[in-house]
Amino acid sequence: MAPSKKHTSDPNIVSFVLSTYRGTELTQTEISEAANISLSSVNKIINQNMSKGEIAKQKTKRYRNSKLGDLNPALGNRTASSDIPLCLFGFR
């Protein structure tokens, strides 16, 4: 779905999207649901009004948070050093 010009030019919607994206850790999908606008409109608002560096920082923060706790793909996969044969390191 194409971004709506009505939504991307409305100052109230633009300020809501930007303040929510900067001030919370909600994803763009969650913001689009909260604002009752399309995801493409949220994406366009963010890309038009934020610098590439600021967008990258926000994406990094959200990606980091998506891998915390139970969502960590390495959770429960532990290898004790005693499980690795020493011959692999040249020791006998």
Side-chain angles (χ1 to χ4, degrees):
M1 179 188 233
S4 167
K5 288 184 182 180
K6 176 182 162 190
H7 294 147
T8 57
S9 61
D10 183 349
N12 293 327
I13 292 175
V14 170
S15 66
F16 173 78
V17 168
L18 293 175
S19 64
T20 304
Y21 194 68
R22 287 178 177 138
T24 67
E25 295 181 2
L26 294 177
T27 63
Q28 290 184 17
T29 304
E30 293 167 334
I31 293 170
S32 72
E33 291 168 358
N36 201 22
I37 60 175
S38 69
L39 177 59
S40 59
S41 293
V42 171
N43 193 10
K44 184 171 183 175
I45 290 169
I46 289 170
N47 286 328
Q48 283 182 337
N49 295 289
M50 293 174 70
S51 69
K52 288 185 187 244
E54 189 177 6
I55 293 170
K57 270 187 182 177
Q58 294 293 331
K59 282 184 179 180
T60 302
K61 180 172 70 171
R62 283 167 177 75
Y63 180 78
R64 177 184 53 84
N65 290 338
S66 75
K67 300 298 179 199
L68 293 176
D70 292 337
L71 300 175
N72 184 344
L75 184 68
N77 298 337
R78 70 182 185 112
T79 305
S81 59
S82 61
D83 294 342
I84 302 172
L86 293 178
C87 62
L88 294 176
F89 297 108
F91 299 110
R92 295 194 184 248

